[in-house]
Amino acid sequence: MQPQSSLNYERIARAIRFIREHRREQPRLEEVAEHVHMSVYHFQRTFREWAGTSPKQFLQYLNVEHAKRVLQETHASLADTAEEVGLSGTGRLHDLFVRIEGMTPGEWKNGGEHLDIRYSRAESPFGEVLVASTDKGICWLEFADENGKNLARLREKFPRARYTQARDERQQAVLSIFARNRDNLEEIKLHLRGTDFQLQVWQALLRIPLGGLATYGDIAAHIGHPTACRAVGTAVGDNPVAYLIPCHRVIRATGEWGPYRWGETRKTAIIGWEAARRKQKQGQLG
């Protein structure tokens, strides 16, 4: 007899293939559940456990990715793009982009056009960082990697923005957190673009105190999606501002540090550094 976990995996794999193959028809939840011979309730719960998102959200991600290819590779209008994707009109396309990408289809296609971004490099206790800002706040903070492609990744996210190598007051405030041993993260204004789900996860990360740790399950439960640990992990990995949104404070339920976009060694060093600072602060207050 086939184990239940293996059977569920095969069903979800078939469901994903069905959704991909019939994406343009925008299949209803009931259709997909029927295709894999499951009740709607059981299918939706099992799909979220295995895929880290709901069937509806998965279809939305496919729609957005297809729309991005159409917008990028052709000169199609928004109306033609919506029709090609299988949506009923530009309003649905607009709402979908705002929900998934945190920007309108036009803003995504323009790639940050008319946006002024200032950037600079500096040393931190954990190696060189690249920090970038707009008039609204900090939009990027990365630890340098071995390939030195930090600036290329920033330009890839906002390909049509105007870039100036300069350090402003917003960047200096960020760097002072390292240089002056300050903890004024709440004073740093951020200019972020993300989906509703990503923003919920990042907001939850901001609530983890200095020297504290949380698991992916803790974050999932905190935002009201207790079974979405995989999706939480993806959102944590997509964090565009290292340290300021403390994704390094998220660990596995087993107690292992787990992966980190800028290296597990750096993650270990940051956690240790923060634990020492917290202990120092408690000693000063005692």
Side-chain angles (χ1 to χ4, degrees):
M1 183 174 179
Q2 189 176 19
Q4 186 64 39
S5 60
S6 177
L7 178 61
N8 284 341
Y9 170 76
E10 290 181 4
R11 285 172 168 172
I12 299 309
R14 290 207 314 273
I16 288 175
R17 285 195 297 271
F18 182 83
I19 294 172
R20 288 186 182 278
E21 291 168 1
H22 296 82
R23 177 199 54 72
R24 203 173 188 284
E25 290 81 35
Q26 303 295 297
R28 294 180 297 108
L29 179 64
E30 293 80 4
E31 294 178 69
V32 188
E34 182 180 357
H35 178 74
V36 294
H37 309 294
M38 298 174 72
S39 70
V40 171
Y41 172 78
H42 188 210
F43 168 65
Q44 183 152 321
R45 185 180 66 178
T46 305
F47 192 98
R48 185 180 288 276
E49 289 175 354
W50 281 94
T53 187
S54 70
K56 180 179 178 180
Q57 288 172 325
F58 180 77
L59 177 59
Q60 290 174 342
Y61 295 148
L62 292 182
N63 289 335
V64 166
E65 289 306 309
H66 184 60
K68 285 161 68 174
R69 286 195 296 272
V70 173
L71 290 170
Q72 191 172 45
E73 297 172 5
T74 73
H75 297 288
S77 67
L78 295 184
D80 289 341
T81 300
E83 182 179 357
E84 169 63 25
V85 171
L87 300 177
S88 57
T90 57
R92 285 195 62 193
L93 182 67
H94 176 278
D95 293 344
L96 193 61
F97 258 84
V98 170
R99 189 180 308 117
I100 302 298
E101 291 293 326
M103 64 184 83
T104 68
E107 288 174 334
W108 183 88
K109 188 172 184 179
N110 289 338
E113 191 174 8
H114 307 308
L115 186 65
D116 290 307
I117 295 179
R118 296 169 294 281
Y119 70 92
S120 64
R121 302 180 186 275
E123 290 298 323
S124 81
F126 315 107
E128 186 182 76
V129 295
L130 175 73
V131 57
S133 56
T134 69
D135 290 336
K136 293 182 179 180
I138 299 296
C139 64
W140 194 263
L141 178 62
E142 271 201 353
F143 293 107
D145 58 20
E146 295 179 357
N147 297 321
K149 295 182 178 179
N150 304 85
L151 183 57
R153 281 192 292 273
L154 173 61
R155 290 183 179 275
E156 185 177 330
K157 188 171 182 66
F158 303 100
R160 298 189 182 181
R162 293 184 291 265
Y163 289 88
T164 304
Q165 186 169 1
R167 183 174 300 171
D168 58 18
E169 293 181 358
R170 296 187 188 280
Q171 297 173 30
Q172 193 58 50
V174 170
L175 298 174
S176 71
I177 293 173
F178 299 121
R180 301 177 189 172
N181 203 31
R182 293 166 60 186
D183 300 316
N184 59 332
L185 290 182
E186 68 280 357
E187 298 176 14
I188 305 297
K189 294 187 181 300
L190 302 177
H191 181 186
L192 302 179
R193 283 176 171 173
T195 68
D196 289 342
F197 186 84
Q198 286 175 323
L199 294 174
Q200 287 181 53
V201 171
W202 297 341
Q203 186 66 40
L205 298 183
L206 290 170
R207 295 191 178 98
I208 307 174
L210 177 74
L213 299 173
T215 67
Y216 296 99
D218 292 334
I219 301 299
H222 183 82
I223 64 174
H225 297 278
T227 62
C229 293
R230 289 188 182 91
V232 165
T234 300
V236 169
D238 288 337
N239 171 24
V241 283
Y243 194 82
L244 302 184
I245 295 178
C247 55
H248 57 275
R249 296 175 188 169
V250 184
I251 63 174
R252 290 174 173 162
T254 59
E256 298 173 287
W257 285 161
Y260 185 54
R261 181 172 165 184
W262 296 282
E264 191 172 341
T265 299
R266 182 176 278 121
K267 179 175 184 174
T268 303
I270 295 174
I271 290 174
W273 187 69
E274 289 191 333
R277 293 176 69 188
R278 181 176 183 178
K279 186 174 182 180
Q280 182 183 28
K281 287 181 64 177
Q282 290 173 339
Q284 292 172 348
L285 295 174

